[in-house]
Amino acid sequence: MKSLEQEFPDNIETLWINADLATMKPGHPYGLLRDGAIGSSKGKIVWVGERRDLPQDFKSKVKEVFDAEGGLITPGLIDCHTHLVYAGCRAREFEMRLQGISYQEIARQGGGILSTVSATRSADEETLFRESVPRLASMMAEGVTTVEIKSGYGLDLDTEARILRVAQRLGNEYQVSVIPTFLGAHALPPEYAGKSDEYIDFVCKKVLPHIAKEGLARFVDVFCETIAFTKEQTERVFKAAKDHGLQIKLHAEQLSDQGGTQLAASYGALSVDHLEYLSKEGVKSLAKSGTVAVLLPGAAYFLREKKIPPIDLLRQFKIPIAVSTDCNPGSSPVVSILLVMNMACILFGLTPEEALRGVTINAAMALGMQEQIGTLERGKDADFVVWNVSEPAELVYHIGLNPCRHVVRHGMLIRSNEPYN
Ligand code: DI6
Ligand code: FE
């Protein structure tokens, strides 16, 4: 009988040894392998296993061996829902909210999202890029190797396209994979006040076709909410997205239950995001469509939302749960993926393992990339992080401490953080 042992290929370029591996493969907690090793070639993982399964003469078969010094290796983290590209700052609005004015009230008065829209419209490409870089850099310092970035602060053709071009440029100039999403239906721009159906027409007939033609976005998202767009309007955008071959996501049930989740599920959405007000019918619809539930505890924290997503129901119906920063200037000015993992546990009751699945394999599913990233498995991209921790739960436990020691992307060591090196 053929041995089940993995063959050790002779073309391994880099091999990391002396680490525990949280492979995140399903089956056992964290898919943990103690005292493991991981090898890559041409940017892909080609060997993962325990050190004792390495051949005796492995050093002679590998170009370069790295010592992880007893750290923990996880897949590169994936922030699957951000609005990272925008201009300006909303700290003044934060002060107003602390004086008791609600987020919805500020939005109704023309502040909120629209104040960021006006700052973003007046920022040229260079300014937008420069303002976005520090946010991206902070994320990357915590081991994020893939980040989704939405438009939605332009709400006109030029600015929406500019935001998505800046997102693309961030991915070209930094060692991170950027996945762009068109969120034209994020808010009603002032020039369409009182004419939301006409704005949706404009999004479906002018902007979305342009974005699709130029290849500027992989996904289409909508904010379905009382202060944004109705279910009917959302459906029109979904139809246009389908017509142009783009997959769907939805900001759903964040501030109220609009039934957006059921609609998104019926269109085969990759993910529905926020979900504090999600109903049992909503959860059932996700189970049918295989849609990922993306939780954004940074926004719930920052808006002091008391209601939490129906975690037990999501578990009961085996809905994959992802966790993300929602990095944006109004409801979640958060760039720390480690902090939102902690918030997901403390505020929403996730386990540390669920939180880590939420920023690895389940976040990959929310981007339709589960074949490529999200676990440490042969054939996937060699994107991984070496942490200065001894237990996976430690990643979720510290607040404000960054234990990221090294980041490897496509097999190459791209960063080593002080003070560990
Ligand atoms: N939900 C949110 O929490 C963000 N967008 C959305 O659809 C808020 C965006 C903002 O306030 O700028
Ligand atoms: Fe969002």
Side-chain angles (χ1 to χ4, degrees), residues 3-319:
S3 153
L4 285 176
E5 244 172 58
Q6 285 182 71
E7 201 185 310
F8 194 76
D10 51 16
N11 63 341
I12 294 190
E13 287 163 10
T14 64
L15 183 77
W16 286 78
I17 57 167
N18 196 12
D20 292 337
L21 307 181
T23 67
M24 306 316 288
K25 273 171 63 171
H28 62 289
Y30 300 101
L32 198 64
L33 289 178
R34 294 281 181 195
D35 197 10
I38 179 165
S40 74
S41 180
K42 298 194 174 68
K44 300 284 180 194
I45 297 171
V46 292
W47 197 91
V48 191
E50 291 179 15
R51 187 191 329 217
R52 60 167 187 225
D53 292 331
L54 287 172
Q56 292 259 307
D57 59 344
F58 75 88
K59 282 195 175 139
S60 65
K61 296 186 166 176
V62 170
K63 268 202 203 127
E64 205 169 0
V65 177
F66 290 91
D67 184 351
E69 297 176 46
L72 174 78
I73 298 185
T74 68
L77 304 188
I78 302 164
D79 197 342
C80 68
H81 177 141
T82 87
H83 311 244
L84 183 141
V85 175
Y86 61 83
C89 170
R90 307 246 289 275
R92 176 72 197 105
E93 182 185 304
F94 172 56
E95 284 184 311
M96 284 165 70
R97 285 205 300 108
L98 292 173
Q99 286 159 11
I101 308 175
S102 75
Y103 178 75
Q104 285 98 320
E105 183 52 36
I106 292 168
R108 267 185 235 111
Q109 289 176 12
I113 295 181
L114 292 186
S115 74
T116 302
V117 170
S118 97
T120 305
R121 283 179 174 180
S122 33
D124 61 18
E125 201 165 311
E126 198 50 41
T127 308
L128 258 185
F129 182 80
R130 201 169 7 89
E131 290 197 23
S132 303
V133 164
R135 294 188 277 272
L136 181 68
S138 298
M139 280 180 184
M140 292 176 67
E142 286 188 352
V144 169
T145 49
T146 302
V147 57
E148 184 255 19
I149 300 179
K150 302 174 194 296
S151 67
Y153 289 117
L155 312 180
D156 61 31
L157 194 144
D158 284 355
T159 318
E160 287 292 303
R162 186 158 73 250
I163 293 170
L164 292 168
R165 277 199 308 273
V166 167
Q168 199 169 55
R169 185 174 153 203
L170 289 168
N172 292 339
E173 295 193 19
Y174 290 85
Q175 297 266 23
V176 63
S177 305
V178 171
I179 312 298
T181 295
F182 172 58
L183 175 59
H186 189 200
L188 190 62
E191 63 276 18
Y192 280 91
K195 298 185 289 187
S196 60
D197 282 325
E198 288 173 39
Y199 179 64
I200 293 295
D201 267 349
F202 169 67
V203 166
C204 296
K205 293 184 183 147
K206 293 267 158 43
V207 194
L208 196 150
H210 175 79
I211 300 293
K213 187 169 119 261
E214 299 288 316
L216 287 171
R218 195 182 290 189
F219 307 123
V220 173
D221 195 344
V222 176
F223 188 16
C224 180
E225 190 51 68
T226 50
I227 55 167
F229 299 99
T230 65
K231 235 172 111 173
E232 291 67 35
Q233 292 167 333
T234 301
E235 183 161 17
R236 288 173 56 205
V237 180
F238 283 177
K239 284 192 171 132
K242 288 260 143 153
D243 288 347
H244 288 88
L246 295 172
Q247 275 180 295
I248 283 162
K249 292 174 157 285
L250 186 66
H251 280 68
E253 338 309 355
Q254 178 187 8
L255 308 167
S256 61
D257 180 14
Q258 299 289 311
T261 296
Q262 290 89 312
L263 175 72
S266 76
Y267 276 79
L270 273 172
S271 74
V272 286
D273 305 40
H274 282 292
L275 307 176
E276 280 78 356
Y277 288 81
L278 178 61
S279 65
K280 188 166 184 180
E281 292 69 66
V283 177
K284 283 184 181 163
S285 71
L286 297 178
K288 281 205 199 99
S289 60
T291 300
V292 177
V294 179
L295 307 184
L296 306 166
Y301 165 81
F302 198 69
L303 298 180
R304 289 199 177 129
E305 175 60 62
K306 295 285 180 305
K307 207 163 153 48
I308 69 166
I311 303 299
D312 282 339
L313 279 175
L314 292 170
R315 285 182 184 134
Q316 196 184 315
F317 284 87
K318 299 196 165 35
I319 311 299

